[in-house]
Amino acid sequence: MSTPYPFTALVGQEDLRLALLLNAVSPAVGGVLVRGEKGTAKSTAVRALSALMPEVDVVSGCRFSCDPASPDPGCPDGPHETGASGSRPARMVELPVGASEDRLVGALDIERALAEGVKAFEPGLLADAHRGILYVDEVNLLHDHLVDLLLDAAAMGASYVEREGVSVRHASKFLLVGTMNPEEGELRPQLLDRFGLTVEVAASREPDQRVEVVRRRLAYDDDPAGFAGRWADEESAVRARIVAARDLLPEVRLGDGALRQIAATCAAFEVDGMRADIVMARTATALAAWAGRTDVLAEDVRQAALLALPHRRRRAPFDAPGLDEDKLDETLEEFGGQDGDEGDRDEGGDDDPDPDPDGGPGGGPGGGPGGQPEPDDAPRVDGEPAAQPESGEDREGGEPQPSGGGGGGGGGGGGEQTPARAAEPFRTKVLSVPGLGEGAAGRRSRARTEHGRTIGARRPRGALTKLHLAATVQAAAPHQRARGRSGPGLVVRRDDLRQASREGREGNLVLFVVDASGSMAARQRMSAVKGAVLSLLLDAYQRRDKVGMVTFRGSAADLALPPTSSVDAAAVRLESLPTGGRTPLAAGLLKAHEVLRVERLRDPARRALVVVVTDGRATGGPEPVALASRAARLFGADSVASVVVDCESGPVRLGLAGQLAGELGGTAVTLDELRADSIAGLVKDVRSSGQNSGQSSRRAA
């Protein structure tokens, strides 16, 4: 077994270390979600914590790690005899992103359950993690239903396995730690709320600290055992302090004054529900125990707010998590003073390793809760959003005209304008890929999945995961006499078992191809276009899609955002999208086709939906319209589902976007038709190649 990196040898990352230690003191806090860029010691810190956890007493031979002092009465391995016990180090169990439901919660032997009537249960990772640490790296990439199962078990302290009327329950209490890189996609707000604390980590920008990080890491890599030995005393001291804080925790008093501060803080920041109040109370109590105190002070409440509230302030998918520290201090001051004296604030202060609330790394994103800009700080255009002359092309899509400086921020190459701010997003119609896919589970297009509506049965390929009971009984029934059945039980053989075929929804790759040329650059028009794309991005976020963005303007196309699960990144790129110049439509389509070709090699099961946002004009170079038509036909030949969002406006319309949709083998919708409430209940399916571009299947929304 390899020697883990010592927890006390970590450089910086005070908030990360504190949050992990608080959960080690009081697992009731609810776990930690660590958000941050790659290479910031997220995984290293979690693995190092396991070495600090005190040993646990277990019933000998129990696969579910029952405590001999109070064994679980419902343990599948019970009832347990008294006296048969031992001790072992607390486990740290890692949940792989690609794990199955059976691997997480355990599996029942359905064949023995049906034929013999016994509960033959193989424990999963939730059983292994009982009374230890369950670590999920890249938790934002874990499938939603697995995250739900995981968080339900963490909240209830037990895991339930239900299969065709056979059920097993066992205790499952663990310290839950998840790490994620926000660049690869976000967790849903309701899942974020289920984590007790969240810490934002980033690499230090101080040269001396970075030097020390490298020095220690090189020393560890050269001699892991020797390096760990040099930190053994510090590790033992922290381990002893965790034990002492656990023993002190029941004696900590959470006074009415501190409770009022907690309630007032959660109300002031308008967090949903009551989970934040409960988590803050438990965190403040753990902070006091960690500091060796029996009273919760205002500083404990403040630190608890910095750790428990920033991720709960994420009200909408594109909001940046964070906390206004000035507002926090005002709230605490307004409702403070009922419990504890100011003189008590120094009690135990020399031994408290908590970061300085004002000077140290904050509990919010980016090194400080106030460090993230509010949504209103996004790039915008000064003044009223009045319509301005289009820059770079006339309204009919002709040759470029001189830009008269009305756009501001222009430059060479086509009169670039200052980016327009996106209009308010709206709920869009459902755009889906036709047919039945087999891609990653999501919420957009029909697909064969492990979860969903049962549509039939088949012989299992490999291990049986979802039993189709009726089909199994039907397969076994004709053979009962030949198998010598004499009693009421059904004689079932492995050949009789049938796997349920299920239909659910998959996530797709939604590739946006956005026209940013001069013909799209009128201020009101581009604002509406960005609002429409932002609305589609919001829809992609909710349906668990990957997204990518290709933009074209001037003389070339650019991959503004490679395909990613981070819809937030696409929203940021969209906000700062410049406009102006010619309309190289063919270049944009060819770039999109190349992106899809590469993605098919990386993830062949994920189907694509191409959304072209344009007025249909094509200018620049020889025969731009013919070249764009040839590029569009490539998508039809590959049967790529597509939709053209027609941005043409004005009394005279050329209908070029509709022609482009026909070449793509898809459909065209106007900005108004894209709204879900434009025709109540309408759901528009994107037609693939070979179908009439003017048709769409309709079903009740």
Side-chain angles (χ1 to χ4, degrees):
M1 182 176 179
S2 60
T3 303
Y5 191 91
F7 187 85
T8 51
L10 294 170
V11 179
Q13 308 294 16
E14 287 85 358
D15 281 344
L16 171 58
R17 290 188 289 168
L18 178 62
L20 292 172
L21 289 170
L22 291 177
N23 274 271
V25 171
S26 176
V29 166
V32 187
L33 177 64
V34 187
R35 298 161 42 93
E37 59 196 26
K38 51 188 175 294
T40 48
K42 300 188 296 293
S43 300
T44 300
V46 177
R47 294 187 175 100
L49 178 68
S50 62
L52 296 179
M53 299 291 286
E55 288 193 343
V56 294
D57 295 328
V58 296
V59 174
S60 298
C62 178
R63 297 174 297 166
F64 301 88
S65 303
C66 281
D67 186 350
S70 56
D72 179 14
C75 177
D77 284 355
H80 298 298
E81 298 180 1
T82 57
S85 63
S87 62
R88 61 164 175 76
R91 292 174 180 155
M92 192 195 77
V93 177
E94 293 194 42
L95 174 61
V97 169
S100 65
E101 180 180 344
D102 285 345
R103 185 70 186 99
L104 176 63
V105 301
L108 288 169
D109 189 330
I110 300 296
E111 184 179 7
R112 290 190 63 192
L114 289 176
E116 303 174 27
V118 298
K119 295 180 181 179
F121 181 68
E122 184 66 28
L125 295 178
L126 290 179
D128 293 342
H130 182 44
R131 305 176 67 201
I133 301 173
L134 182 59
Y135 172 46
V136 188
D137 194 12
E138 307 295 353
V139 65
N140 52 325
L141 303 182
L142 193 66
H143 190 272
D144 285 350
H145 87 277
L146 291 182
V147 177
D148 288 331
L149 289 171
L150 185 65
L151 295 176
D152 284 343
M156 295 186 297
S159 174
Y160 295 84
V161 182
E162 302 281 348
R163 293 288 168 82
E164 307 297 342
V166 182
S167 63
V168 171
R169 173 212 166 274
H170 64 83
S172 183
K173 298 179 181 179
F174 47 82
L175 193 167
L176 176 63
V177 184
T179 57
M180 59 174 283
N181 184 347
E183 295 177 355
E184 297 173 341
E186 285 283 0
L187 278 173
R188 304 198 315 264
Q190 55 268 46
L191 295 181
L192 278 173
D193 184 57
R194 300 287 290 274
F195 282 92
L197 309 180
T198 294
V199 177
E200 197 84 12
V201 296
S204 173
R205 298 297 182 257
E206 292 294 330
D208 290 343
Q209 196 172 69
R210 296 175 73 96
V211 166
E212 186 61 23
V213 170
V214 175
R215 181 180 291 119
R216 292 187 186 183
R217 185 68 208 190
L218 293 177
Y220 170 77
D221 290 341
D222 289 341
D223 183 11
F227 182 83
R230 292 194 290 274
W231 291 89
D233 292 342
E234 288 83 351
E235 294 281 286
S236 297
V238 173
R239 189 180 299 108
R241 189 172 177 186
I242 291 174
V243 174
R246 283 185 173 184
D247 294 338
L248 183 62
L249 188 64
E251 303 176 20
V252 176
R253 186 178 70 91
L254 183 64
D256 289 343
L259 275 173
R260 276 191 289 271
Q261 286 183 317
I262 290 170
T265 301
C266 293
F269 285 99
E270 300 179 347
V271 296
D272 295 329
M274 295 298 298
R275 185 174 284 119
D277 304 63
I278 296 171
V279 170
M280 275 190 64
R282 290 171 174 167
T283 304
T285 303
L287 279 163
W290 179 248
R293 289 186 268 101
T294 56
D295 287 312
V296 174
L297 305 180
E299 63 192 42
D300 300 322
V301 176
R302 186 183 193 278
Q303 185 63 51
L306 294 176
L307 293 172
L309 295 188
H311 61 297
R312 293 183 169 89
R313 288 282 297 147
R314 185 181 167 88
R315 308 302 297 274
F318 302 137
D319 289 348
L323 209 64
D324 184 341
E325 291 197 55
D326 291 336
K327 182 178 180 180
L328 173 61
D329 291 335
E330 291 173 4
T331 303
L332 293 177
E333 184 176 354
E334 179 181 354
F335 290 88
Q338 287 91 341
D339 271 334
D341 299 325
E342 290 296 321
D344 293 338
R345 295 178 182 272
D346 294 331
E347 184 180 344
D350 293 340
D351 295 329
D352 190 354
D354 296 356
D356 183 354
D358 297 318
Q372 289 288 344
E374 294 295 321
D376 288 342
D377 291 337
R380 67 179 67 197
V381 179
D382 294 332
E384 296 294 326
Q388 300 180 12
E390 295 183 354
S391 171
E393 295 187 35
D394 60 16
R395 291 186 179 270
E396 298 302 320
E399 290 301 312
Q401 304 297 320
S403 59
E416 179 177 311
Q417 292 193 356
T418 304
R421 190 181 183 194
E424 193 69 21
F426 51 84
R427 189 167 65 91
T428 67
K429 292 175 182 175
V430 180
L431 304 176
S432 61
V433 179
L436 197 62
E438 295 182 344
R443 299 179 181 176
R444 182 171 297 278
S445 305
R446 295 172 55 226
R448 298 182 184 91
T449 61
E450 287 294 319
H451 301 273
R453 179 171 61 93
T454 300
I455 59 174
R458 58 176 173 81
R459 291 183 181 272
R461 294 189 291 268
L464 178 72
T465 56
K466 300 293 182 182
L467 177 75
H468 194 296
L469 183 58
T472 299
V473 172
Q474 186 176 8
H479 309 290
Q480 297 305 295
R481 181 175 297 177
R483 292 173 183 174
R485 172 183 169 184
S486 58
L490 189 70
V491 180
V492 179
R493 303 255 175 99
R494 179 166 293 277
D495 289 343
D496 302 327
L497 299 178
R498 295 295 182 267
Q499 175 85 20
S501 297
R502 302 195 174 189
E503 180 181 306
R505 294 279 168 175
E506 67 176 0
N508 298 115
L509 167 60
V510 182
L511 182 61
F512 293 92
V513 185
V514 182
D515 185 349
S517 64
S519 68
M520 301 280 289
R523 185 63 55 200
Q524 287 181 329
R525 187 180 185 185
M526 198 59 197
S527 178
V529 168
K530 285 188 175 183
V533 178
L534 189 63
S535 303
L536 290 167
L537 284 172
L538 179 59
D539 182 68
Y541 169 86
Q542 294 167 340
R543 300 186 186 282
R544 318 308 290 168
D545 295 315
K546 290 181 69 173
V547 296
M549 187 181 298
V550 171
T551 63
F552 56 94
R553 58 183 289 271
S555 60
D558 177 50
L559 180 58
L561 181 72
T564 175
S565 297
S566 178
V567 180
D568 301 61
V572 171
R573 304 291 173 88
L574 176 70
E575 193 69 45
S576 59
L577 179 65
T579 57
R582 296 175 182 265
T583 311
L585 178 57
L589 295 174
L590 290 173
K591 172 64 77 173
H593 190 267
E594 175 62 18
V595 170
L596 294 183
R597 185 188 67 81
V598 174
E599 282 302 305
R600 274 195 294 269
L601 297 175
R602 293 175 177 170
D603 190 358
R606 187 182 290 268
R607 297 186 295 165
L609 171 63
V610 176
V611 179
V612 184
V613 185
T614 181
D615 56 10
R617 292 178 171 85
T619 61
E623 299 183 347
V625 176
L627 187 59
S629 296
R630 289 198 295 271
R633 286 194 289 271
L634 294 174
F635 292 85
D638 290 343
S639 299
V640 177
S642 60
V643 61
V644 177
V645 179
D646 186 358
C647 303
E648 192 173 26
S649 60
V652 179
R653 304 195 180 192
L654 303 179
L656 299 176
Q659 297 177 25
L660 176 63
E663 299 284 356
L664 289 167
T667 58
V669 295
T670 65
L671 290 175
D672 289 337
E673 291 173 342
L674 192 61
R675 293 179 177 270
D677 54 2
S678 61
I679 301 177
L682 177 65
V683 177
K684 185 178 290 293
D685 284 336
V686 180
R687 294 295 188 180
S688 63
S689 175
Q691 294 175 311
N692 295 328
S693 62
Q695 296 179 344
S696 63
S697 63
R698 304 191 177 191
R699 61 185 184 273

